[in-house]
Amino acid sequence: MTSSISDPVVEKFVAAVNAGDRDAFFADVLTEDATMSDDGSERDLAAWTEKEVFSPEANGRMKVVDASDDGRTLVVDYTNDTWGTMRTRWIFTVAGDRVSRFETGQAPS
């Protein structure tokens, strides 16, 4: 595995999160019907990203530790101001130039 992201769509996702750019995240990164899950449970994408990523209380950031599956599976040290830093796994489904689904959760140790 490597820490460089070889999929440009996933790279845009990480960049939007790290920039705190909610507008780009929804307008340029995700498909209109994108879905997500957290630790195996389906979540409301807008509500989850607001709470865990974009709100001033969250201030989410992703530091990629490893990338595999052509850059569509990441192990990340994810940090937000609510929970601190945790090692997480992110799996992306890409449709064209957008993410149509992502699944996140605790990374196996």
Side-chain angles (χ1 to χ4, degrees):
M1 292 207 277
T2 176
S3 60
S4 66
I5 305 170
S6 56
D7 188 298
V9 176
V10 173
E11 190 171 34
K12 279 193 327 186
F13 181 102
V14 172
V17 167
N18 287 344
D21 193 341
R22 178 188 297 109
D23 293 339
F25 186 79
F26 285 102
D28 302 330
V29 175
L30 300 177
T31 62
E32 287 186 23
D33 60 349
T35 61
M36 58 103 31
S37 69
D38 181 12
D39 283 328
S41 296
E42 292 298 310
R43 304 287 186 194
D44 177 280
L45 191 145
W48 186 91
T49 55
E50 181 61 24
K51 180 181 176 193
E52 301 291 340
V53 180
F54 294 115
S55 74
E57 296 79 25
N59 189 28
R61 285 126 17 237
M62 301 174 80
K63 180 181 177 190
V64 177
V65 175
D66 291 305
S68 60
D69 189 28
D70 294 325
R72 293 186 179 179
T73 299
L74 305 179
V75 174
V76 169
D77 284 338
Y78 184 76
T79 303
N80 71 24
D81 294 346
T82 303
W83 305 108
T85 300
M86 56 202 123
R87 180 74 41 107
T88 55
R89 173 187 274 165
W90 298 70
I91 301 170
F92 297 91
T93 303
V94 174
D97 64 350
R98 309 255 176 147
V99 171
S100 62
R101 178 169 177 79
F102 67 92
E103 299 171 29
T104 188
Q106 294 293 319
S109 40

